[in-house]
Amino acid sequence: MWQFFHKLGSPKWFFGIANRLMPWLLWGGAALLFAGLIWGLAFAPQDYLQGNSYRIIFIHVPSAFLAQSVYIMMAVAAVVTLVWRMKLADVFVKSVAPVGAVLTFLALFTGAVWGKPTWGTWWIWDARLTSMLILLFLYFGVIALGAAISDEKSSARAVAVLVLVGVVNIPIIKYSVEWWNTLHQPATFKLTEKPSMPAEMWVPLLLSVLGLYLIFGWFACLRMQTEILIRERRTRWVKELVLAGRS
Amino acid sequence: MHPTRKKRLTIVLFLLAGIAIAVGLTTYALRQNINLFYDPSQIAAGDAPQDVRIRAGGMVEEGSVQRDPESLKVEFRVTDFNSSVLVEYTGILPDLFAEGQGVVAMGRLNGNGRFVADQVLAKHDENYMPPEVAEALEKASAGVHKAGDSSGSESAY
């Protein structure tokens, strides 16, 4: 088991695996996302109260979901960086942080657009919205700190500590709607109960969430490959790879 | 596992536990500030300050909405099914405002227990359904009312 784990740490090995995985992630994700969004945006029934404006859920929920998942993945990678000093974990954190920031922004933006007609306001400082904004700033902090330290090793460690400190925000986001009075409604999807919407609404939503996960996987692989090529540009295997690509 | 890695892992876990406790205590201490609104029970119990801008939230009581025909003034009761508070508001209500729906009102409690709001927001719940289903549900519950006690919710007013 440990052997596999250490192999995973080898950038060259990962580069090859990513090459093989990426077409599956891309096409699988695109198909799911396309199906989910077309079904959700065009064919799912209206909501009895909100009419068509609820359809923003098909973009809002997948991006909010993933924004938090990406942070949890980054936290796991941060532990690996701190304990095992694995370079690939740091490559992952640095590659996906901007993606997470974009997803968080998308969730906040779509939420504001939905909030105006539904609640009557673009923004309110309730616990859910505020903790989500903190997540966006955490992503910004991770990006900035990573870029500010030029030494690869100390940058990796500093970023890992920041990511770990910020991970307490994730349960706060998740449970904010239950611990405190908020304007934001509790989750429609729960792990233990039936979703409080009919199947013709939650199936397309689930498809979009899964599709976005796969697309994220593809994009993460792509960005990690780029980062690996930059970092390992002086090694023999990268030079050979580039020469092979040229001929 | 290698002993140095084990040591590092322990440090990381301690770090996480420490931060979690610190943040947990802070949010616990600030819970009244983090809560977006007071419920009617808290207001009835006198937990909410007078003459300070606060938010009150709950359900709009069925049959309690009274509109002034001359102006935009509206009065309604907000309830959490234990206590209720009378809210008055002058302005345009959000589209989702209706009896039996959640609202959050911002304003001041005046001396005689009335809440004078200057902003009313609709609170949406986590339930979504197609209009046909909602209609069918309404019909079904109306049928139950007719068959059951005729002194249903209408008798309250």
Side-chain angles (χ1 to χ4, degrees):
Chain A
M1 191 236 148
W2 288 115
Q3 208 189 349
F4 170 77
F5 193 63
H6 285 290
K7 226 174 162 184
L8 196 67
S10 144
K12 186 186 170 187
W13 185 83
F14 174 82
F15 198 92
I17 286 287
N19 260 346
R20 265 186 282 162
L21 271 178
M22 275 163 66
W24 296 99
L25 291 170
L26 176 61
W27 295 114
L32 283 175
L33 199 61
F34 192 71
L37 285 183
I38 297 284
W39 185 357
L41 295 180
F43 297 106
Q46 290 192 7
D47 180 61
Y48 74 116
L49 270 181
Q50 305 170 50
N52 278 321
S53 73
Y54 94 96
R55 288 184 201 279
I56 209 157
I57 200 176
F58 295 107
I59 297 168
H60 178 73
V61 168
S63 45
F65 221 84
L66 217 65
Q68 296 169 66
S69 303
V70 169
Y71 201 90
I72 294 174
M73 294 181 225
M74 277 168 53
V76 173
V79 173
V80 174
T81 303
L82 288 177
V83 177
W84 284 274
R85 302 279 145 90
M86 201 180 272
K87 278 189 208 160
L88 201 62
D90 181 52
V91 170
F92 176 79
V93 172
K94 300 253 167 75
S95 309
V96 301
V99 185
V102 168
L103 288 167
T104 314
F105 176 78
L106 197 63
L108 285 169
F109 181 78
T110 51
V113 170
W114 176 84
K116 185 64 186 168
T118 314
W119 295 336
T121 182
W122 298 102
W123 182 261
I124 189 160
W125 293 100
D126 89 341
R128 171 58 74 82
L129 275 64
T130 310
S131 54
M132 204 61 189
L133 188 65
I134 292 174
L135 182 69
L136 182 65
F137 291 150
L138 278 170
Y139 276 123
F140 286 164
V142 168
I143 297 168
L145 188 64
I149 305 173
S150 52
D151 177 53
E152 209 173 87
K153 273 184 192 160
S154 31
S155 154
R157 262 181 248 175
V159 165
V161 171
L162 177 61
V163 170
L164 275 183
V165 170
V167 82
V168 281
N169 191 35
I170 297 294
I172 294 182
I173 296 177
K174 172 92 177 70
Y175 293 106
S176 55
V177 288
E178 287 164 32
W179 290 342
W180 301 293
N181 293 334
T182 54
L183 189 61
H184 195 288
Q185 65 271 25
T188 297
F189 267 112
K190 289 175 202 103
L191 281 179
T192 47
E193 291 167 45
K194 259 177 60 180
S196 36
M197 51 167 38
E200 61 264 42
M201 288 180 183
W202 68 255
V203 174
L205 185 53
L206 190 66
L207 290 182
S208 330
V209 171
L210 292 177
L212 197 61
Y213 262 100
L214 294 185
I215 290 284
F216 164 76
W218 166 74
F219 200 47
C221 283
L222 188 71
R223 287 183 60 88
M224 283 173 78
Q225 281 192 328
T226 315
E227 180 79 20
I228 287 172
L229 287 184
I230 295 171
R231 289 193 188 194
E232 309 269 304
R233 62 186 178 278
R234 289 196 185 84
T235 60
R236 227 176 69 198
W237 72 271
V238 171
K239 281 179 185 159
E240 278 167 8
L241 193 78
V242 172
L243 286 177
R246 222 179 253 167
S247 60
Chain B
M1 209 154 62
H2 200 278
T4 40
R5 288 182 185 149
K6 205 169 226 171
K7 207 173 109 194
R8 286 190 208 138
L9 187 61
T10 334
I11 294 173
V12 166
L13 290 180
F14 265 107
L15 173 86
L16 270 181
I19 299 162
I21 291 168
V23 171
L25 289 175
T26 313
T27 48
Y28 180 74
L30 292 174
R31 64 195 180 283
Q32 199 52 72
N33 295 318
I34 297 174
N35 275 333
L36 186 70
F37 52 82
Y38 290 91
D39 1 88
S41 302
Q42 287 174 305
I43 292 173
D47 288 346
Q50 302 265 327
D51 282 325
V52 179
R53 265 168 72 88
I54 55 164
R55 291 199 185 90
M59 261 329 180
V60 180
E61 208 169 282
E62 296 279 350
S64 73
V65 179
Q66 286 177 345
R67 287 172 203 269
D68 182 356
E70 304 292 304
S71 66
L72 286 173
K73 200 170 156 198
V74 195
E75 271 185 20
F76 52 91
R77 297 194 76 83
V78 168
T79 175
D80 61 356
F81 304 109
N82 287 320
S83 321
S84 68
V85 58
L86 189 66
V87 177
E88 61 172 74
Y89 173 66
T90 308
I92 296 164
L93 291 163
D95 288 352
L96 249 64
F97 179 90
E99 291 176 1
Q101 285 290 319
V103 288
V104 173
M106 178 140 195
R108 285 165 209 275
L109 266 181
N110 68 5
N112 35 26
R114 270 170 169 253
F115 189 86
V116 184
D118 47 47
Q119 183 192 34
V120 173
L121 300 175
K123 183 166 157 51
H124 186 258
D125 63 15
E126 71 271 33
N127 298 309
Y128 295 79
M129 51 180 137
E132 306 88 74
V133 178
E135 229 166 72
L137 273 181
E138 198 147 288
K139 258 183 208 160
S141 73
V144 168
H145 265 295
K146 260 176 216 159
D149 60 340
S150 55
S151 62
S153 57
E154 294 83 5
S155 69
Y157 280 85

